[in-house]
Amino acid sequence: MGRVTTRRRVARLTLGAGISRREDTLVVEEPLEIRVGGRSLAVTMRTPGHDVELAAGFLVSEGVVTRGDEFAAARYCAGDAGDGNTYNVLDVTLAPGVAPPAPALAREFFTTSSCGICGKASIDAVRTQSSFNVRDDSLRVSTETLVSLPDRLRAAQDVFEKTGGLHAAGLYSAKDDELLVVREDVGRHNAVDKVVGWALTHDLLPATGTVLMVSGRASFELTQKAIMAGIPMLAAVSAPSSLAVELAIDAGMSLVGFLRGESMVVYSGAQRVEQQPADQHRAEGSAA
């Protein structure tokens, strides 16, 4: 397995203090080719680690699998160049009877770590119909809990503490009041795929009663990935896009953005956000 971090000699400059040379820790970024039944499906730039979860989550996002027993196995194999096993090619085996991805799904381009759907023909092509309905999910989360999630996510970001160069995603269970899993990656969509893949392999899909917490912005793609996994709420520390909000409203998913400090903006599904008595008092005072 490739390394998650690497060390490089760098020059640090500070105004008025000159230059110093030292070792710096960098996050590793390498390509991963995902194959299904020996056929290439996609290449993504990712941080090595939890690659099986990444592949599993990607297949959930594309509507190929919805249950853990549909994802039979995955193994690393050598690339086409004959350069041996570099742990950058992962071949997935689906369970008998599970239809393989349609040939049209094959990505004949590199999926970058910052954009998972670049190159798709149209927005309609990524509005994949989810097997799960999040509209009727009975999740309720207090504002106090929501404002605690960014710090809880950050506390679990071990590699970020060393490099400062990773996105993170975590799956919070309202029933258990805990972050079930946290994953880091140079690509925000990869971090989410790893979380969704973890849920798939632990037979937790649909992920009812959960919140997907992400360290960056809420894009259309991340919203779609949450819906495809049956997650009823997406919370982000930064802004959502207009398409993300439209998709969340259409699907009946709760979308929370700018979750920072003691404030947030609820863009859809506000019925799932339960105000504390102090919040209600302030809201009533503002209305008056």
Side-chain angles (χ1 to χ4, degrees), residues 16-286:
I19 185 171
S20 63
R21 300 186 182 278
R22 60 179 176 84
E23 290 283 315
D24 196 20
T25 301
L26 303 176
V27 63
V28 170
E29 182 176 24
E30 294 180 352
L32 176 69
E33 180 184 355
I34 300 173
R35 299 177 181 178
V36 177
R39 176 179 293 178
S40 182
L41 180 63
V43 176
T44 185
M45 301 301 295
R46 96 303 189 194
T47 301
H50 306 291
D51 289 337
V52 174
E53 294 175 354
L54 171 57
F58 179 81
L59 292 177
V60 171
S61 298
E62 296 292 347
V64 178
V65 297
T66 57
R67 304 192 315 270
D69 59 6
E70 295 177 332
F71 189 94
R75 67 180 182 88
Y76 291 102
C77 53
D80 293 333
D83 50 1
N85 196 337
T86 62
Y87 298 97
N88 285 331
V89 179
L90 190 70
D91 194 4
V92 173
T93 300
L94 301 177
V98 178
L105 273 182
R107 306 280 179 89
E108 308 226 339
F109 53 85
F110 284 91
T111 298
T112 71
S113 57
S114 61
C115 178
I117 59 173
C118 298
K120 287 243 181 174
S122 66
I123 293 298
D124 290 339
V126 293
R127 286 186 180 271
T128 310
Q129 291 298 313
S130 175
S131 297
F132 308 123
N133 175 24
V134 300
R135 184 177 299 278
D136 299 326
D137 196 295
S138 61
L139 170 72
R140 296 293 185 273
V141 185
S142 69
T143 52
E144 182 180 13
T145 295
L146 281 172
V147 298
S148 75
L149 292 184
D151 286 342
R152 293 164 74 172
L153 183 69
R154 178 66 179 273
Q157 289 185 252
D158 296 333
V159 183
F160 181 87
E161 287 300 317
K162 300 175 183 177
T163 66
L166 285 171
H167 294 284
L171 190 66
Y172 169 80
S173 167
K175 176 183 177 181
D176 302 316
D177 187 29
E178 68 172 326
L179 281 171
L180 301 176
V181 62
V182 173
R183 292 291 182 257
E184 297 177 278
D185 199 278
V186 289
R188 61 175 59 90
H189 71 284
N190 287 338
V192 170
D193 276 341
K194 289 177 179 180
V195 166
V196 171
W198 177 90
L200 178 82
T201 57
H202 285 75
D203 293 319
L204 294 179
L205 295 190
T208 56
T210 64
V211 179
L212 177 63
M213 180 71 221
V214 296
S215 61
R217 61 185 176 86
S219 65
F220 173 89
E221 186 189 23
L222 299 195
T223 306
Q224 185 203 23
K225 288 178 182 295
I227 293 169
M228 293 297 290
I231 298 172
M233 181 180 290
L234 171 62
V237 300
S238 193
S241 68
S242 61
L243 282 178
V245 174
E246 290 177 22
L247 181 60
I249 292 172
D250 287 345
M253 188 186 79
S254 298
L255 179 58
V256 178
F258 292 109
L259 185 53
R260 304 170 182 174
E262 296 185 348
S263 66
M264 69 195 76
V265 179
V266 182
Y267 292 88
S268 65
Q271 77 278 4
R272 296 192 178 98
V273 180
E274 295 185 334
Q275 291 186 332
Q276 302 302 101
D279 298 325
Q280 293 174 347
H281 178 73
R282 284 193 293 267
E284 291 168 359
S286 298

